[in-house]
Amino acid sequence: MSVNAKHLATFVLGAAAGASMYKYLQTEEGEKMLEDLKSKAGNLRDEAEGAVDKVPDYFEQLKTKGTDTLKETFPDAEQMLRDLMDKFTGKKSEPTVE
């Protein structure tokens, strides 16, 4: 693979951008920007950890509400699914009592 002028120009521009960013971050304004970024990243991490803690409760609630809604909308759905499974497995399951 040969290095042509386009690759060399891209490398030089990238190095210049990196050098100028380094110089900017050494200023008081750059340090303030870094502190703001660190603070925002910490807040985002805390928010994500909080969301992870809530996931099991959310899915349990979703499962419960989904089951209740399904039973209200299609009251015979559970027995129909059991009959269908019995047909495929060749076993006879107990009828449900509500």
Side-chain angles (χ1 to χ4, degrees):
M1 187 165 147
S2 67
V3 176
N4 59 24
K6 191 175 185 179
H7 292 108
L8 188 57
T10 302
F11 175 76
V12 170
L13 285 174
S20 62
M21 189 67 171
Y22 175 77
K23 284 293 253 182
Y24 174 74
L25 291 177
Q26 299 303 313
T27 65
E28 187 175 325
E29 190 176 324
E31 289 177 4
K32 183 180 176 190
M33 184 184 76
L34 276 178
E35 287 302 316
D36 288 344
L37 283 174
K38 287 179 184 178
S39 173
K40 288 178 182 179
N43 291 341
L44 186 60
R45 184 194 67 228
D46 293 342
E47 188 178 317
E49 287 173 352
V52 167
D53 293 339
K54 294 177 184 176
V55 167
D57 294 335
Y58 173 75
F59 278 111
E60 185 62 35
Q61 182 181 13
L62 186 63
K63 183 177 89 173
T64 303
K65 286 184 178 181
T67 302
D68 293 344
T69 303
L70 186 63
K71 285 181 180 179
E72 288 173 13
T73 308
F74 303 106
D76 298 330
E78 187 174 3
Q79 187 59 42
M80 183 183 73
L81 290 173
R82 286 184 189 277
D83 293 343
L84 189 61
M85 288 300 295
D86 291 344
K87 187 176 182 180
F88 285 121
T89 60
K91 298 179 182 176
K92 182 68 175 157
S93 61
E94 297 294 321
T96 58
V97 177
E98 292 186 29

